[in-house]
Amino acid sequence: MRLHEHQAKQIFAKHGIGIPRGEVATTPEEVEKIAEKLGGKVVVKAQVLVGGRGKAGGVKKANSPKEAREVAEKILGMSIKGHKVEKVLVEEQLEIKKEYYVGYVVDKVNRLPAVIFSRMGGMDVEEIAAKHPDEIHRIYFDPLWGLKDYEVRKALFRAGFSGDEYKQMFDIIKKLAEIAFTYEAELTEINPLAVTSEGFLAADARLNVDDNALYRHPELAELREATEENPLEREARLKGINYVHLGGNVGVIANGAGLAMATMDIINLMGGKPANFLDTGGGLADPEKMKNCLLHVLKDPNVKVVFINIYAEITRCEKVAEGIILALDEAQRKVPLVVKLAGTNEDIGREMLERYSSEKGAEIYFVDSVEEGARKAVELAG
Amino acid sequence: MAILVDENTRVIVQGITGFQGSFQAKRMLDYGTKVVGGVTPGKGGTEVHGVPVFNTVEEAVAETNADTSIIYVPARFATDAIFEAFDAGLRLVVCVTEGIPLYDEMLIHRKLREVKSMLLGPNCPGVISPGKSKVGLLPDRSFMPGNLGVVSRSGTLTYQICENLTKAGIGQSTVVGIGGDPMPGLTFVDVLKMFEEDEETKAVLLVGEIGGTAEEKAAEFIKQMSKPVVAFIAGRTAPPGKRMGHAGAIIEGNMGTAEAKIAALRDAGARVAETLLDVVKGVRGVLG
């Protein structure tokens, strides 16, 4: 889960990292008031969970409260890579002398936590690594002992830091590692780290925490903001359904992430547009699960056909068929289904659906391969 | 031959009295796997499907001479179960559990450096050497003995692919599911090395997906392999920034795209299939 900039900054501040003065607003009027409070010269920053908001026009300076209001009128409500801006962070303008970079990541290749820092801030870390490989410094450390002082000292001296800058960097690196371990962050980043006459400040802040660990951090789980998510994705998450909205018209349901991805891919390959990715996961022995998944996919008004691709290795197929029938009985609208059912009692499952189809007039097509299913679904979607 | 498991593998099931553990223990026994014991703290002295249950892994290993464990324990307790299995000196530990926190996995890997055990998973379907042994929840009907080694990040997709292969008369030496987490125990490279050395394996199928750099690392090793490799990558049309079911299946920035993986694999000499049916053709092409 990725936190918003303003949320991450609050956590940074709690741990003693300096942040610019600022407040969150949802209306241009609020922005104007906050700008007044901050002395007029501010930056208005869209709070969206995608990168590249600066280039998209989501970050603008204003030199008076009135200008701040005008800028906010443009930013609030704009769409950045499909994310609607509902909130902005209004911050004092900083007099930045230099921009540095400090980040932390769980390195999945080396299976170790790593701190990364550089004197070249303000651009993506990948870009720094590509353009200035000598300016990237990494500290891998033992997760068992945590980041030791000497490891930070060694890296900072080697990178040529000294005096006050050394002290400030040391402090921020230690605090960032502490934040990462406190909240089980996959990644946390200060980019740019602004060097100002008042010291080092986190001009931007990123904090991505591990979804699997959220049960240990209920205070973070509460921060997830409904407004940022696609409503169908949000509803799915609350129901425990693994659903990603894709915007096409062919609904996809499969059990297993790989199978669902492969199904989505082949629909695209056949010239169709998947409406969604849905991985039912296990637990299909309970017909309610399939029922809920199918009903959820049908909530998307763009869906013209649903391709159900189930490889029931444990589940018996009659349970899957039962779930499909329960959903069709309850569904508000009728769309054709393309079904590929493999596994224990697949013949029984198919018979049940065929019987239901002829009795109730439901349009259900059975296929033997994923390719055939995708072709049929794309054809039905028109 | 075959890799990781064969007819001599002696398996204990951690969490054998749970719903999943008990069910899967039965299925493994039916397949012919030597399930010699189970572990559930507090249930020692009982039996499940005629298999003795112990309170600790240490005791189970001492009494049964097991060398492999499979873990069906909920995510909050699975890390502890993995450590217990390492501590008991098991050769192979297979963890099916999904949803183990990343920081637990970091510590699991930290511990792995100090022990001799191999870890398969977490969040994996396990391993099967068709006709010999199955340690996991892979469905019997998809597989038959043969000369193709299969290694994959996914479950049901692999069953589907293997069923297509089996129907086409192409059997498998061993099928290994390394799991969908971003930091798996055994990696593609570890398993490819084993297949390269396995006499029974004549060619390898690698089933990858978006996210991370596991396929790119695999490609580097494939360059040195003498055996032909066919690959399939799921998620070529996945949008960036969205987690596609598996914890590890996400394109972050320009990282983890299917295009990069396919290019690296092709560059390494692997044959990359476009569709599931192409996988069968590709494998037939290299096996002759």
Side-chain angles (χ1 to χ4, degrees):
Chain A
M1 170 182 152
R2 179 171 173 171
L3 273 67
H4 279 289
E5 177 193 2
H6 69 270
Q7 295 168 332
K9 278 182 169 165
Q10 288 312 309
I11 289 175
F12 283 10
K14 215 168 94 188
H15 287 259
I17 293 177
I19 58 167
R21 291 187 301 145
E23 276 177 53
V24 176
T26 54
T27 66
E29 293 72 31
E30 281 176 303
V31 171
E32 188 173 0
K33 276 184 201 148
I34 295 166
E36 249 164 52
K37 236 193 287 180
L38 293 173
K41 287 186 141 192
V42 294
V43 190
V44 181
K45 305 169 90 176
Q47 299 296 289
V48 281
L49 298 175
V50 283
R53 62 182 176 167
K55 279 177 198 147
V59 179
K60 287 253 155 48
K61 281 187 180 175
N63 292 318
S64 69
K66 186 172 161 283
E67 197 187 342
R69 183 196 175 113
E70 287 163 10
V71 164
E73 274 165 5
K74 287 192 191 121
I75 294 178
L76 282 164
M78 77 187 285
S79 174
I80 300 176
K81 293 182 187 167
H83 293 243
K84 196 176 169 213
V85 182
E86 309 263 4
K87 280 185 181 169
V88 290
L89 176 61
V90 189
E91 283 185 339
E92 60 177 333
Q93 283 184 24
L94 298 174
E95 280 188 34
I96 299 175
K97 293 185 201 159
K98 282 181 287 192
E99 291 187 333
Y100 290 171
Y101 172 93
V102 183
Y104 162 96
V105 67
V106 175
D107 184 318
K108 280 142 191 165
V109 176
N110 294 300
R111 287 112 202 268
L112 287 172
V115 167
I116 305 160
F117 65 94
S118 172
R119 280 203 183 78
M120 316 291 288
M123 54 180 132
D124 285 350
V125 65
E126 292 85 10
E127 199 180 335
I128 309 173
K131 287 187 181 162
H132 310 280
D134 297 341
E135 291 288 346
I136 285 268
H137 309 281
R138 290 186 182 83
I139 314 171
Y140 287 100
F141 60 98
D142 190 325
L144 199 54
W145 307 120
L147 181 62
K148 309 305 279 181
D149 288 359
Y150 82 89
E151 293 172 305
V152 185
R153 283 200 303 270
K154 229 167 61 174
L156 284 174
F157 283 129
R158 200 179 288 154
F161 278 87
S162 64
D164 187 53
E165 286 208 348
Y166 167 90
K167 277 185 205 150
Q168 301 233 26
M169 274 303 267
F170 181 92
D171 194 46
I172 284 184
I173 287 173
K174 287 287 288 187
K175 281 173 178 159
L176 202 64
E178 176 190 299
I179 290 165
F181 272 69
T182 304
Y183 300 99
E184 303 190 52
E186 285 183 77
L187 179 151
T188 176
E189 212 174 49
I190 302 175
N191 188 25
L193 175 66
V195 179
T196 74
S197 51
E198 294 161 58
F200 284 20
L201 295 176
D204 198 356
R206 188 158 172 202
L207 183 57
N208 294 7
V209 296
D210 176 22
D211 287 328
N212 287 347
L214 279 178
Y215 74 91
R216 297 198 277 230
H217 309 283
E219 75 285 8
L220 291 183
E222 282 169 18
L223 292 179
R224 198 189 296 254
E225 282 184 28
T227 51
E228 266 295 322
E229 287 174 294
N230 172 291
L232 284 168
E233 288 183 1
R234 175 166 191 270
E235 195 185 324
R237 180 171 59 72
L238 295 173
K239 283 184 188 159
I241 299 173
N242 221 324
Y243 172 96
V244 176
H245 186 74
L246 298 171
N249 58 10
V250 182
V252 175
I253 297 176
N255 63 328
L259 194 62
M261 275 191 273
T263 308
M264 166 190 85
D265 288 346
I266 198 146
I267 289 167
N268 274 304
L269 199 73
M270 300 278 179
K273 289 267 174 281
N276 65 277
F277 162 97
L278 191 153
D279 166 15
T280 65
L284 286 177
D286 180 1
E288 284 293 310
K289 180 116 185 209
M290 175 51 82
K291 179 187 125 182
N292 288 336
C293 289
L294 181 50
L295 284 174
H296 188 75
V297 167
L298 290 174
K299 279 192 178 160
D300 178 351
N302 295 323
V303 167
K304 293 220 165 58
V305 53
V306 181
F307 182 12
I308 300 175
N309 185 8
I310 299 296
Y311 199 103
E313 80 275 25
I314 303 173
T315 309
R316 295 193 307 269
C317 287
E318 65 262 36
K319 296 290 178 187
V320 177
E322 198 184 325
I324 295 172
I325 290 169
L326 285 171
L328 291 178
D329 277 340
E330 226 175 84
Q332 304 290 325
R333 63 195 186 96
K334 304 255 174 285
V335 306
L337 303 184
V338 177
V339 179
K340 180 178 183 306
L341 208 49
T344 317
N345 296 346
E346 60 188 46
D347 294 343
I348 301 177
R350 185 170 175 155
E351 265 169 41
M352 284 168 69
L353 289 171
E354 273 169 347
R355 200 179 322 122
Y356 181 85
S357 166
S358 60
E359 281 169 11
K360 304 276 176 94
E363 216 179 322
I364 305 177
Y365 302 88
F366 297 92
V367 294
D368 293 319
S369 78
V370 183
E371 283 81 353
E372 189 193 339
R375 198 173 296 121
K376 186 72 196 171
V378 172
E379 178 196 313
L380 289 166
Chain B
M1 290 285 281
I3 67 165
L4 290 169
V5 297
D6 60 23
E7 58 274 30
N8 300 315
T9 304
R10 298 173 68 79
V11 185
I12 55 165
V13 179
Q14 289 176 253
I16 195 166
T17 56
F19 174 75
Q20 272 276 334
S22 154
F23 181 73
Q24 294 299 341
K26 176 77 169 63
R27 284 168 51 106
M28 285 189 279
L29 283 164
D30 290 347
Y31 194 72
T33 304
K34 290 196 175 70
V35 179
V36 295
V39 178
T40 298
K43 298 270 174 76
T46 61
E47 277 190 359
V48 173
H49 312 304
V51 171
V53 180
F54 302 92
N55 284 321
T56 67
V57 177
E58 185 182 36
E59 197 188 343
V61 170
E63 295 294 325
T64 66
N65 232 350
D67 62 358
T68 296
S69 147
I70 181 157
I71 296 176
Y72 286 103
V73 171
R76 293 181 193 199
F77 311 105
T79 304
D80 193 64
I82 291 172
F83 271 71
E84 186 180 0
F86 288 170
D87 196 46
L90 289 161
R91 177 186 62 92
L92 176 65
V93 179
V94 179
C95 183
V96 173
T97 309
E98 180 177 2
I100 296 181
L102 192 63
Y103 277 62
D104 285 11
E105 291 190 2
M106 266 207 291
L107 293 177
I108 290 166
H109 281 286
R110 175 66 176 71
K111 184 75 178 169
L112 257 176
R113 295 189 187 114
E114 294 174 356
V115 297
K116 291 193 183 115
S117 307
M118 291 184 282
L119 173 68
L120 182 59
N123 190 14
C124 81
V127 49
I128 184 169
S129 295
K132 292 173 180 155
S133 183
K134 169 172 89 167
V135 183
L137 41 80
L138 305 97
D140 309 353
R141 57 175 250 166
S142 302
F143 309 97
M144 72 176 203
N147 302 111
L148 180 71
V150 181
V151 59
S152 169
R153 277 168 76 183
S154 77
T156 45
L157 176 60
T158 311
Y159 313 156
Q160 178 67 65
I161 289 173
C162 287
E163 182 164 298
N164 293 347
L165 290 164
T166 296
K167 275 186 188 158
I170 301 167
Q172 308 88 35
S173 53
T174 303
V175 179
V176 187
I178 62 170
D181 274 7
M183 290 198 295
L186 289 174
T187 63
F188 276 142
V189 174
D190 295 327
V191 178
L192 287 174
K193 277 182 187 161
M194 293 180 211
F195 279 136
E196 175 74 358
E197 283 163 21
D198 176 42
E199 282 171 23
E200 201 177 321
T201 302
K202 304 283 181 236
V204 181
L205 168 66
L206 180 149
V207 182
E209 64 190 31
I210 54 159
T213 54
E215 291 76 9
E216 286 86 338
K217 296 276 166 205
E220 283 169 33
F221 181 73
I222 290 169
K223 282 183 188 163
Q224 316 161 27
M225 282 177 71
S226 65
K227 294 175 185 175
V229 176
V230 176
F232 178 81
I233 303 292
R236 324 166 50 135
T237 59
K242 296 278 187 184
R243 220 171 274 282
M244 307 301 275
H246 283 155
I250 179 167
I251 299 169
E252 292 164 300
N254 300 321
M255 288 277 293
T257 65
E259 297 84 73
K261 293 171 188 298
I262 290 168
L265 288 161
R266 288 210 167 118
D267 185 49
R271 205 161 155 160
V272 182
E274 300 282 326
T275 69
L276 298 185
L277 291 179
D278 285 345
V279 173
V280 177
K281 285 183 211 150
V283 171
R284 193 177 275 138
V286 299
L287 276 176

